[in-house]
Amino acid sequence: MSEVRKIAVVTGAARGLGRAIALRLAEEGAAVSAWDLDQAGVEETAAMIRGKGQRAIGIKANSAVAGEIAEALDMTHRELGSVTILINNAALSPFARFEDITEEIWDNLMAINLKGPFLCCKAMIPDMLAAGWGRIVNISSSAAQTGAAVHAHYSASKGGVIGLTKGLAMEYANRGITVNNVPPGFVNTEGLRESPVDVEAYAPTTPMKRPGRPENIAAAVAFLVSDDADYITGHTLSVNGGRYSN
């Protein structure tokens, strides 16, 4: 991107994929507004970026609540400027048998994983339209592509993210905004290590026999927000070590 200022919002940026994405976008020259409910973690992410000479702020915010999004966006505007890059990464990834998924659990997951990206897009697309340039990358999941046992609600929410991506891509394709999604698969994050998945036991069953790194996802995101990807929209760029191909 040449003349338009690169100012990125990354949700769920306190650790894992979000932190890796925030760090990579900063390396690519973007100023980063890192959002998360974990205030200490997101402030650490921002400090890591500033330590490398780039501009960044960390904001404690629930990216699934419209009022908190508005407050965080206002702070981003004051500190950094108008947003031209949005990475919808914040999500829950609980495991539960379908018969144990209550309506409350379902609604809470959909609020974070699907309503959140909708609200963030609603809030930030006006900045992109004003700039005549924008990049949105939604982090979906390979679980939406393959399905996953004890992950039906999560798979459904991430399938919705893929559908939202495609719809927005078609709507804004001729207005300077691209919208794509990256579905990770078996990436070695804190969340994976805290889950019921036995990482070492599962790795040999995968095509590459190893988990991916958060930096692999960050690299895919960095490409999709670059000028080199300005003719790519509505695309699903799978980063999963061969778990699923399409």
Side-chain angles (χ1 to χ4, degrees):
M1 174 172 126
S2 53
E3 297 181 0
V4 178
R5 296 175 65 197
K6 294 192 291 185
I7 298 173
V9 166
V10 181
T11 68
R15 65 178 193 169
L17 300 183
R19 173 173 285 180
I21 291 166
L23 293 172
R24 178 61 185 266
L25 293 183
E27 289 177 5
E28 299 292 329
V32 175
S33 182
W35 298 9
D36 204 287
L37 286 171
D38 178 357
Q39 184 169 3
V42 81
E43 288 179 352
E44 184 178 28
T45 298
M48 292 169 69
I49 293 171
R50 291 194 298 268
K52 295 182 178 181
Q54 299 291 341
R55 299 172 67 205
I57 57 173
I59 301 176
K60 180 181 179 181
N62 186 335
S63 57
V65 176
E68 295 195 31
I69 292 169
E71 291 177 4
L73 183 57
D74 183 58
M75 185 180 299
T76 301
H77 286 162
R78 293 196 310 268
E79 298 291 329
L80 301 176
S82 296
V83 175
T84 48
I85 297 170
L86 168 62
I87 313 302
N88 283 308
N89 168 71
L92 297 176
S93 181
F95 288 76
R97 297 185 308 164
F98 183 71
E99 57 263 39
D100 295 331
I101 299 172
T102 64
E103 184 176 0
E104 180 181 7
I105 290 172
W106 177 275
D107 288 346
N108 185 52
L109 187 74
M110 292 299 166
I112 300 293
N113 291 11
L114 185 54
K115 184 180 178 181
F118 160 74
L119 290 174
C120 286
C121 288
K122 286 282 285 185
M124 285 169 247
I125 282 176
D127 279 3
M128 300 177 190
L129 290 173
W133 192 100
R135 297 286 187 268
I136 298 171
V137 180
N138 298 317
I139 305 303
S140 55
S141 172
S142 59
Q145 299 170 300
T146 65
V150 296
H151 238 179
H153 51 342
Y154 176 73
S155 300
S157 71
K158 290 300 188 175
V161 168
I162 294 174
L164 176 65
T165 298
K166 293 181 177 182
L168 291 177
M170 296 302 99
E171 191 161 344
Y172 292 100
N174 67 343
R175 302 175 76 181
I177 301 172
T178 67
V179 190
N180 296 288
N181 83 97
V182 175
F186 192 49
V187 179
N188 197 2
T189 62
E190 296 93 335
L192 178 65
R193 296 192 294 273
E194 292 166 2
S195 78
V197 176
D198 185 330
V199 176
E200 292 186 2
Y202 184 72
T205 71
T206 67
M208 287 194 178
K209 315 300 183 187
R210 62 176 176 83
R213 297 175 293 109
E215 292 79 9
N216 298 136
I217 308 304
V221 171
F223 168 67
L224 289 172
V225 306
S226 72
D227 280 335
D228 288 337
D230 69 355
Y231 201 58
I232 299 173
T233 197
H235 183 63
T236 298
L237 178 53
S238 299
V239 185
N240 57 37
R243 173 183 173 183
Y244 176 84
S245 58
N246 61 346

